[in-house]
Structures are given as structure tokens and as C-alpha cells.
Amino acid sequence: MSEGRYIYCIAECSEKLSLGKIGIDDNDVYTIPCQDISAVVHDCSRKSHKSKGDDIVKMWTMTHECVVESAMERWCGVLPLSFDTIVKAEDGRSLEGVVMDWLEEEYHKLKENIDRVKGKLEYSVKVFSDTKIITERIVKSDEDLPEETAHTYKLKLKDTLRQRIQEETARYYHEFYKDIRSAVNDVKVAKLKGEDEQGQMLMNLSCLCGEGIADKLGEQLEKISSIRGFSVRFIGPKPPYSFVGAQIEVK
Amino acid sequence: MKPTRNNKATLSDLLDRVLDKGVVIDADVIISLANVPLIGINLRAALAGMETMVKYGMMREYDMEVKDVRKSKGRHELEA
């Protein structure tokens, strides 16, 4: 017998219906409605998902995301929940009743969060810089750089260059951020992840875009990628995980 | 420029999004990783988002258990 309900997301849906066996471990995913919102769930045990290896964790998290994406295809307002949120039954109450009571109690808070992201999607924008090209550009254009090649001057050149590269990339960062921010509904800045095959990561952003906004963002990114020494990775759309508010506490 | 769907999502990308982000609910009726650390030892060590997980209570109990073990170990060592 199932003792818990795994919640994928809260959707703007007022009826009880099945989404099919699309859940983690092929579980049947369905909605538990309360007023005009529903929890999108599957029946599960009370146990949390414990890892049996990287591949399995990857499969679980991918399935979680796929279910949220399926919900977004059906309903306009969807609030994605973090992985492995399981509701348990208390004091002999039915699980469905517990979920419905919880939705009822938190209705206004959930609705407020849904409205904030309704009709909007998240795009990941990563800007990379090619330090070699930027360095060459500085060397060619900067007259203050020492020309002598003796050892002490080489050291001085290294320090001055490092400083110039930092100044130059900071200038580009602010310029790019301003252009991107003006094109989209909201931006969250994520941690930089160093260098990969595309170069040194300069920006790692999550952008919230309403209808037609992604095209405007694409135009800005086109401009950035046309500047020599910079490239852009533009991925999406995804459920708006970064814009759903951090934590919902219940009294 | 048109966006692409990331079909080669890395585990790190997925965890960043699905674990570190999304609504985290703190309620009595939610189990949400009460006893079990979500991810195996090897993967946990590689996770950069550990602080966030502890902050959101995901690994609070595990964290406390580890600290308790360390404390009692330290006490034994002092007594010995």
C-alpha cells in the first residue's frame, strides 16, 4: 500500500485526471485538485529516494523535470517543486485529504507564486570569453603597456595585462548584463563554473521570459556572440525553477 | 540567435536545477529527505550545492548525525 504522495509541481488545474505512467519508476502521475489548483503526484512509499548510482539519480531528476514539462504543456501556470518532496499521511487521515488540506491552507501563497511565473519560461544563458583573443586585443590597443622585454619588464607586463583583462571583462560583463536585463522579465545570476570547451565562463544567468520575450533575448545574444572573443550558450525553454520563490513554510 | 534544447544535460546541470531550485516546502506533512541523505557518498562529495541543501534542511538531520558522531568521537578521545 502506498504511504506517501510524491509531488512534482502545483498546476493551475481544477479537475482530477491522469497524465499516464510518466512518473519516476514508471509510476502513474495524476492530479489532486483543490479549488482551481492541483498537486501533480504519484503514489509512493514514505521513503526518500536514496541513490544507487549517478545514472539512477540522473534518471530520477530527468524524469522529475519531464513530468513538470508535461504539466507545463497542459497548463499555463505551473509551480515546479524541488526533487523528492513527499507528503505523508498523519493520524489515520487519507493521503488525498492531507494533500487537499495542505493545498487549501497554502492556497493564497501557492496561487501568488503561480501567478508570478504564469505564461513564462526559463532560459539558461552562459557567456564565454576567449582570454587569448581579449589579451591580443589589449596588447594591440594599449599604449601604456611596457614594450621592453627584459625580465623585470616582462613581470610588469604580466601584472599590467592581468589587470587590463580584468577591467576589460568587467566592462563587458556590465554591458552584456544591462542589455540582457532590459530584454527579459527577470534575471537570476548563478555561480560561474570556470572553463570548459567553449572558453572561460563570464556569465551564468537564468532568464525569465514571457511570450515573445525569448526572441528579444535571442537578438541581444546574437549581438554579444558577434563580438570577437565571446560566445554564447542559449538553452531552453525550461520550467521556471529559478523564479518560484525559495521556500514555503507552513505554520 | 535561437535557443537549443539541452539534450546532453549533465548530472550537475540537472541537480543544479531540480535540487537546488524549485519550491522547497517546509511543512509537517512533508517528508522531504527527513532521514535519508539524497545522494550517495561519492556524488555528495562532488556536489557544489551542498551549502544550499543544508540551508534548506535537506540534509540537516544527516549533518547533525555526522556532527554528533564527531562530538562523541572527540569525547572518547579526550577520555582515553
Side-chain angles (χ1 to χ4, degrees):
Chain A
M1 201 181 108
S2 61
E3 307 157 308
R5 294 290 179 271
Y6 181 104
I7 312 185
Y8 293 91
C9 56
I10 309 297
E12 226 169 22
C13 158
S14 55
E15 39 181 353
K16 183 163 183 168
L17 46 90
S18 170
L19 277 75
K21 292 187 183 299
I22 59 168
I24 290 169
D25 296 333
D26 297 325
N27 276 294
D28 191 21
V29 176
Y30 62 96
T31 58
I32 300 178
C34 168
Q35 300 185 47
D36 59 345
I37 60 171
S38 290
V40 177
V41 304
H42 79 236
D43 297 353
C44 65
S45 70
R46 288 175 69 132
K47 280 186 191 162
S48 295
H49 288 80
K50 199 175 181 181
S51 156
K52 292 167 192 154
D54 291 6
D55 286 345
I56 293 174
V57 174
K58 189 172 177 179
M59 203 167 69
W60 285 339
T61 45
M62 274 179 96
T63 309
H64 179 100
E65 182 155 287
C66 285
V67 172
V68 176
E69 285 179 9
S70 298
M72 291 188 72
E73 283 167 16
R74 276 175 182 255
W75 303 292
C76 195
V78 170
L79 201 62
L81 260 62
S82 195
F83 177 78
D84 216 17
T85 305
I86 297 168
V87 166
K88 63 182 175 182
E90 281 191 325
D91 313 325
R93 289 157 71 201
S94 80
L95 268 164
E96 198 154 316
V98 173
V99 174
M100 285 164 87
D101 288 351
W102 175 71
L103 289 175
E104 182 81 49
E105 278 169 35
E106 293 307 300
Y107 179 80
H108 294 292
K109 213 178 273 181
L110 293 168
K111 194 80 177 150
E112 196 181 299
N113 275 272
I114 290 173
D115 285 343
R116 196 145 41 89
V117 293
K118 197 173 175 177
K120 299 186 182 87
L121 294 161
E122 181 171 327
Y123 292 82
S124 161
V125 171
K126 291 182 172 73
V127 179
F128 298 88
S129 62
D130 186 327
T131 315
K132 203 179 157 199
I133 294 175
I134 291 170
T135 309
E136 280 170 7
R137 192 152 59 218
I138 292 168
V139 171
K140 274 183 196 165
S141 65
D142 200 327
E143 290 169 0
D144 294 338
L145 288 174
E147 286 170 14
E148 291 92 334
T149 51
H151 182 66
T152 49
Y153 282 107
K154 272 187 184 168
L155 288 177
K156 196 180 165 194
L157 177 68
K158 212 173 158 189
D159 278 351
T160 316
L161 249 182
R162 192 182 298 133
Q163 200 187 332
R164 292 281 194 278
I165 291 166
Q166 279 172 3
E167 285 167 5
E168 191 75 350
T169 46
R171 188 176 67 78
Y172 276 116
Y173 183 97
H174 288 110
E175 201 178 299
F176 295 163
Y177 182 84
K178 199 166 69 137
D179 292 344
I180 291 170
R181 182 67 193 86
S182 67
V184 300
N185 294 107
D186 201 359
V187 170
K188 289 270 192 271
V189 179
K191 275 185 193 166
L192 296 179
K193 292 192 175 166
E195 207 166 348
D196 71 6
E197 74 276 5
Q198 222 173 317
Q200 181 71 39
M201 196 184 287
L202 175 68
M203 302 182 99
N204 184 10
L205 306 177
S206 297
C207 300
L208 187 67
C209 299
E211 209 183 333
I213 300 288
D215 293 341
K216 286 185 191 168
L217 174 61
E219 285 166 23
Q220 293 299 338
L221 299 179
E222 189 72 56
K223 277 187 210 165
I224 294 171
S225 64
S226 68
I227 302 171
R228 197 166 170 267
F230 293 99
S231 61
V232 176
R233 201 181 293 161
F234 184 25
I235 293 167
K238 292 280 168 195
Y241 281 98
S242 308
F243 300 91
V244 290
Q247 191 160 356
I248 296 183
E249 283 184 38
V250 182
K251 293 181 283 291
Chain B
M1 179 179 266
K2 295 279 175 207
T4 55
R5 303 284 299 191
N6 190 11
N7 295 325
K8 287 190 284 179
T10 63
L11 184 56
S12 152
D13 280 343
L14 276 163
L15 293 177
D16 272 358
R17 200 163 47 239
V18 183
L19 278 186
D20 272 2
K21 297 169 183 173
V23 173
V24 177
I25 292 159
D26 185 7
D28 290 344
V29 291
I30 306 281
I31 295 178
S32 207
L33 319 170
N35 282 316
V36 192
L38 172 64
I39 301 161
I41 294 289
N42 54 340
L43 187 59
R44 246 193 288 120
L47 262 182
M50 284 286 286
E51 277 177 20
T52 320
M53 291 173 76
V54 174
K55 192 173 132 200
Y56 288 153
M58 286 181 172
M59 299 185 72
R60 201 176 290 142
E61 242 177 275
Y62 170 75
D63 196 39
M64 280 162 72
E65 273 172 30
V66 170
K67 278 177 187 158
D68 284 347
V69 169
R70 278 194 196 140
K71 266 187 213 163
S72 67
K73 204 177 162 192
R75 207 176 298 129
H76 289 314
E77 278 168 6
L78 278 175
E79 283 166 4

